[in-house]
Amino acid sequence: MDTSEKVLVIDFGGQYNQLVARRVRECNVYCEIYSYRTPLDKIKEMNPKGIILTGGPASCYEEGAATCSPELFNMGVPVLGLCYGAQLMQHVLGGKVQRADNREYGKIMIDVTAPDSALLKGVTPRTQVWMSHFDYISQLAPGFESTAHSDNCPVAVAEKPSAKLYGIQFHPEVLHTPEGTKMIYNFVRDICGCEGSWRMDSFVEVQIRDIREKVGDGKVLCALSGGVDSSVAAVLLSKAIGNQLTCVFVDHGLLRKNEGDEVEEVFGPNGPYELNFIRVNAQQRFYDKLAGVTEPERKRKIIGEEFIRVFEEEAHKIGAVDYLVQGTIYPDVVESGLGGESAVIKSHHNVGGLPSVVDFKEIIEPLRNLFKDEVRKVGLELGIPKKLVFRQPFPGPGLGIRIIGEITPEKVRMVQDADAIYREEIDKAAEEWRKNATCVEYTQTDDDGSIHHYRRTDGENPPWMPNQYFAALTNMRSVGVMGDERTYDYAVALRGVSTVDFMTAEAANIPWEVLQTVMSRIINEVRGVNRVLYDISSKPPGTIEWE
C-alpha cells in the first residue's frame, strides 16, 4: 500500500470534506484532510502531489473569513478549489467575488466551452452539476480563463493551466454531479501526475508486519464490539500476534436484539477464530450511569468513558497490558474534529486517546486511515464471512443514540423489538423480490426527466433496498386506540437510507405495503408503542443516525 504520493484536502469547513477525500481514493490515490489553519511549512514538508481546497459556509471577502497564504498557489503544486475554495483562490490572487443576484442551489446544467481542458477531459459539452452558492466569481484573477458556465454563473470552472491552478464553482464530489468523479480523476491522475498506487491488497501484509514490530512480546487488549470495524481490527491483530491478544466484548445493554449472543457465537471459544475472548455483561452498570441523561452528546461521552473504565478493570484482571486496540476509522477522526476544520459533528468513544489514568502504553488503531468501504475490503481479504463484513453500520454508543431522551431498560426493550421486526420484514421482502427477479427489465426516471433502462437478475437487491435501516424510539407520546381502549404510548421512527459512501444519503423508497406490514407488527407486538413514523430526511441536512 503506497502512501508516498499524497493529495491533501484543505478543509475550510465544508460539509463534504470526507467525500472529497473519498473520491480521491477512488482514483487509487492516497488522501488526507487537514484544516486551513495548518502551517504552510507543514504542508510543504508533506510534499503533496496535489492540493484540493474544500467548500465552506462563509464569504471569502468578509472580515475574519477562512483564508490561506498566496504562497500556497506558488509552490508549483497543482491546486484545485471547490466552491468556496474556488472563490478564495480568485480572491487571494486578485480576482473579485461578490454576492450573486440569483443564488444557485441544486441540479444545474453547465456548458463546457473548452473541450481541450485537462480538467474537463471527457466531460460532455452540456452536463449536470450540483451547485450550492450565493456568491460568484465576477472577475477572474490575472491569467485565468473561464472554461464552463451556467445560465446564471459566468464562471463555473476557472483555469490557469500554466500555474496548474483550477477552480470549480460546483460540487464534483457528490453523486448529483454525474461526471464529477471524472473531473477529480483528471486532476489527481493527469494534472497532479499521480500513478494511482494506493491499493488495499497489500494493506493486511503491511499492517501485520508493522503490528508485530511495534508489539514485540507485549500484551494487547482489543475493544471488540462485534461491529465491522472492531471485528476487522480484532482478526487483523489475531493474525499478527496470536494469543498475545485478548478481546474484551462489553455488552452495555444497548445492542440490537440478541446481538450479544451472536457476537459471542462468532468470536467466542466455539467460534472460527483463535481469540482470547472475554464477555463482560455490564448492562445495569451502563443504565445506572445514564439514568436521567437526555442530551445526546452527554450520553455518548458517558458511554465512552464507561467503556474505558471497563477496559481498565479487565486489563488489571489479566495482568499487565501494553497496548489497546480500537477499530477507529477515518470518518470517526474527521467527525470528532481531529482531521479537518469542520465543526465537531459527534464525539466518538474510540477517538482522542485515553485518560491519563489508563494503564496502557499506547493505542493501536490499524484502520485509522481507512474509510468504511476500505475496511470491508480488508475484512474480505482476512477471510471474514461476507455476512459479517457487510452488516449494517452500528454506532459505538449503540441504541443509546437511537433512543431520544432518557434511556431505560423498558425503552431499550421497545426499540430492540421494533428494530428486529423492521429488519426482519425488510429482509423478507427483499428475498421475495429476488425470487421473482429473473431477468426482469425496468426503467427509472430521474428528476430531470432522463430515463434509464435496467435489467435485474436473481441474487441482486431490489432498487428500493436501503443500505442502512433501523428503528429509533422517539421521546414523543401520543394518544391512540387499541382494542377500544385509550392508550398513551411512544412513537417509533423507522429510518431507511440509500447511499453509496454514507457521506450523503437519501430516504429509501421502501414499498408502502412493506412499511404497512412493519407498522402493523410493531404496534401489535411491541408493548408501549402505538404510532410508527417513517423518516424521509436526507443527509445533509440531517444525519443518518438518530440522536
Side-chain angles (χ1 to χ4, degrees), residues 326-360:
Q326 294 185 155
T328 309
I329 64 174
Y330 201 46
D332 299 338
V333 176
V334 176
E335 290 183 356
S336 295
L338 301 178
E341 181 59 26
S342 298
V344 175
I345 299 171
K346 61 188 78 168
S347 64
H348 292 262
H349 71 272
N350 55 349
V351 176
L354 295 171
S356 58
V357 297
V358 178
D359 297 328
F360 303 114

Side-chain angles (χ1 to χ4, degrees), residues 220-224 230 233-235 237 245-249 311 323-327:
V220 180
L221 183 64
C222 178
L224 177 63
S230 68
V235 175
L237 265 291
L245 172 69
T246 298
C247 291
V248 175
F249 166 55
F311 289 139
Y323 300 93
L324 173 68
V325 174
Q326 294 185 155

Side-chain angles (χ1 to χ4, degrees), residues 361-379:
K361 288 181 182 177
E362 190 179 342
I363 297 177
I364 297 177
E365 297 172 312
L367 311 176
R368 185 181 178 89
N369 292 325
L370 303 185
F371 285 94
K372 178 70 75 173
D373 61 323
E374 294 170 329
V375 173
R376 296 190 198 278
K377 291 178 183 177
V378 172

Side-chain angles (χ1 to χ4, degrees), residues 24-39:
V24 173
R25 290 196 188 183
E26 287 175 356
C27 300
N28 299 120
V29 175
Y30 185 67
C31 184
E32 290 181 353
I33 301 171
Y34 289 89
S35 166
Y36 75 91
R37 304 173 194 268
T38 305

Side-chain angles (χ1 to χ4, degrees), residues 20 103 105 107-108 110 248 274 306 315 356 381 405 435:
V20 174
R103 177 185 176 184
Y105 182 84
K107 296 177 182 178
I108 301 292
I110 67 167
V248 175
E274 295 181 5
E306 203 59 21
S356 58
E381 188 174 340
K435 290 179 181 178

Side-chain angles (χ1 to χ4, degrees), residues 204-460:
V204 171
E205 179 183 343
V206 171
Q207 284 296 312
I208 288 176
R209 181 195 65 206
D210 291 349
I211 290 167
R212 286 173 179 166
E213 183 178 334
K214 175 189 285 288
V215 172
D217 58 359
K219 290 186 177 180
V220 180
L221 183 64
C222 178
L224 177 63
S225 70
V228 176
D229 305 330
S230 68
S231 297
V232 171
V235 175
L236 181 62
L237 265 291
S238 176
K239 289 184 178 293
I241 58 174
N243 60 14
Q244 294 170 245
L245 172 69
T246 298
C247 291
V248 175
F249 166 55
V250 178
D251 188 344
H252 50 29
L254 300 169
L255 299 172
R256 288 168 286 206
K257 189 172 184 177
N258 301 324
E259 192 163 33
D261 294 338
E262 292 171 359
V263 170
E264 184 171 1
E265 183 180 343
V266 173
F267 291 100
N270 298 321
Y273 304 108
E274 295 181 5
L275 302 173
N276 294 319
F277 179 83
I278 297 173
R279 177 175 178 175
V280 183
N281 293 311
Q283 294 92 332
Q284 193 58 49
R285 175 172 172 171
F286 279 84
Y287 294 157
D288 292 343
K289 288 284 185 179
L290 292 164
V293 179
T294 60
E295 203 277 320
E297 188 67 11
R298 180 62 183 149
K299 288 193 284 188
R300 280 182 175 271
K301 291 184 182 297
I302 290 172
I303 295 169
E305 177 71 15
E306 203 59 21
F307 258 98
I308 296 297
R309 300 283 77 82
V310 173
F311 289 139
E312 281 184 309
E313 295 168 11
E314 294 304 317
H316 290 147
K317 290 178 184 178
I318 65 176
V321 174
D322 302 292
Y323 300 93
L324 173 68
V325 174
Q326 294 185 155
T328 309
I329 64 174
Y330 201 46
D332 299 338
V333 176
V334 176
E335 290 183 356
S336 295
L338 301 178
E341 181 59 26
S342 298
V344 175
I345 299 171
K346 61 188 78 168
S347 64
H348 292 262
H349 71 272
N350 55 349
V351 176
L354 295 171
S356 58
V357 297
V358 178
D359 297 328
F360 303 114
K361 288 181 182 177
E362 190 179 342
I363 297 177
I364 297 177
E365 297 172 312
L367 311 176
R368 185 181 178 89
N369 292 325
L370 303 185
F371 285 94
K372 178 70 75 173
D373 61 323
E374 294 170 329
V375 173
R376 296 190 198 278
K377 291 178 183 177
V378 172
L380 294 176
E381 188 174 340
L382 287 168
I384 300 175
K386 289 182 67 175
K387 181 179 180 180
L388 178 57
V389 170
F390 288 98
R391 73 186 306 178
Q392 292 185 53
F394 191 62
L399 300 178
I401 61 173
R402 293 181 182 175
I403 297 174
I404 308 304
E406 183 182 8
I407 296 171
T408 66
E410 182 68 5
K411 287 184 176 180
V412 172
R413 175 196 60 78
M414 283 189 275
V415 75
Q416 283 181 334
D417 289 348
D419 181 72
I421 290 170
Y422 183 33
R423 289 186 288 118
E424 179 183 329
E425 290 299 330
I426 288 289
D427 293 345
K428 186 188 300 182
E431 183 58 33
E432 185 65 26
W433 182 92
R434 294 185 194 101
K435 290 179 181 178
N436 302 308
T438 304
C439 294
V440 176
E441 296 189 358
Y442 65 100
T443 61
Q444 180 173 305
T445 304
D446 288 347
D447 293 341
D448 62 1
S450 59
I451 299 176
H452 302 277
H453 299 275
Y454 299 95
R455 285 174 61 85
R456 68 190 190 206
T457 57
D458 288 330
E460 294 180 355

Side-chain angles (χ1 to χ4, degrees), residues 119-133:
L119 182 67
L120 302 174
K121 182 177 66 175
V123 176
T124 53
R126 186 168 175 83
T127 186
Q128 175 187 295
V129 302
W130 183 263
M131 289 280 194
S132 179
H133 68 97

